[in-house]
Amino acid sequence: MTQDGRLVRGERTRTAVLDQALLLATVNGLDGLSLSQVADALGVSKSGLFAHWRSKEALQLAVIEHARAQWTDLVIGPARARPPGLRRLWAVHDSRLAFYESGVLPGGCFFANAHFEFNARPGVIRDRLAAELRDWMTFLTRTAADAVERGEVRDTVSPEGLAYHTESLGVCAVMQAPTLGTAPTFRQARAALRDHLRSIATDPSFLLEFS
């Protein structure tokens, strides 16, 4: 096999491992993740995985990066296809809920689970998760600020407050859905943001397309 062929095979193996590790982390926790656990789930040797990640922490950091790439592709990507402002803010909320509804991750939301797991545990993993949260909230706040600057919402609206409101609905929905039911929970999460946006919009009819 050529050098390029080995690199391609190695990258495919790495991606398959991270896919599986991400699934396991949403069910068993990021701290419960181990090379042995992933190797057993995939039916491969632990020594083969050790060539990619020399420690549990290295694997955890790689899983966080993999989760970020998935989130960017499936949640942020569709929203960025919409015009800036309220349409994009609504789209990111809607695509986030659709991502949860799809069951791609059996544990619901990797980041919500991991933040609760590591919030009180100082260290490299918590620091990396905190950086991801800051980046996400910066994106939501910038999207909300676009709506203010474009005159789509009242100029008294705080972009930070609107971003926080949007984030709170998403986190609440994914945490409550397993207990209160997927369909009614996500329906309520969509209705709650839609009604809030209508209450602050300069032209509420602008949001009829979100019905």
Side-chain angles (χ1 to χ4, degrees):
M1 180 179 289
T2 66
Q3 178 69 18
D4 287 345
R6 286 192 294 270
L7 289 174
V8 169
R9 188 178 66 177
E11 185 58 32
R12 285 175 179 168
T13 299
R14 186 177 188 277
T15 299
V17 170
L18 290 176
D19 284 342
Q20 184 64 46
L22 181 53
L23 296 180
L24 292 170
T26 66
V27 175
N28 300 324
L30 188 57
D31 193 48
L33 196 62
S34 69
L35 290 173
S36 296
Q37 183 187 54
V38 177
D40 290 343
L42 289 173
V44 298
S45 68
K46 179 182 175 181
S47 60
L49 302 187
F50 197 70
H52 293 277
W53 302 281
R54 306 294 288 183
S55 67
K56 176 178 176 176
E57 184 177 272
L59 176 62
Q60 290 172 322
L61 291 170
V63 170
I64 294 172
E65 179 63 29
H66 197 61
R68 177 191 174 109
Q70 183 188 69
W71 188 264
T72 300
D73 183 42
L74 299 179
V75 176
I76 296 177
R80 281 182 169 155
R82 301 291 288 163
L86 283 187
R87 286 188 177 90
R88 184 170 295 174
L89 186 64
W90 170 259
V92 77
H93 183 63
D94 187 53
S95 63
R96 175 188 197 163
L97 297 180
F99 173 64
Y100 294 153
E101 289 170 316
S102 71
V104 171
L105 297 178
C109 180
F110 168 80
F111 286 107
N113 293 346
H115 283 303
F116 281 114
E117 185 182 0
F118 280 88
N119 268 344
R121 301 168 63 178
V124 173
I125 302 302
R126 191 184 75 167
D127 290 346
R128 178 56 186 276
L129 289 168
E132 295 296 338
L133 180 58
R134 284 191 292 269
D135 285 350
W136 168 242
M137 292 307 297
T138 296
F139 169 75
L140 284 182
T141 302
R142 179 65 260 170
T143 304
D146 287 340
V148 177
E149 293 167 6
R150 293 164 69 89
E152 295 175 348
V153 299
R154 298 192 301 270
D155 59 10
T156 56
V157 171
S158 161
E160 292 81 7
L162 183 50
Y164 182 83
H165 188 93
T166 305
E167 170 68 359
S168 298
L169 289 172
V171 172
C172 185
V174 76
M175 297 301 291
Q176 291 187 355
T179 301
L180 302 183
T182 298
T185 300
F186 291 126
R187 182 169 58 248
Q188 180 60 40
R190 286 186 172 90
L193 184 62
R194 182 175 59 242
D195 292 347
H196 181 65
L197 294 181
R198 284 176 175 165
S199 74
I200 63 175
T202 52
D203 178 11
S205 66
F206 175 73
L207 297 167
L208 290 176
E209 64 186 270
F210 302 156
S211 299

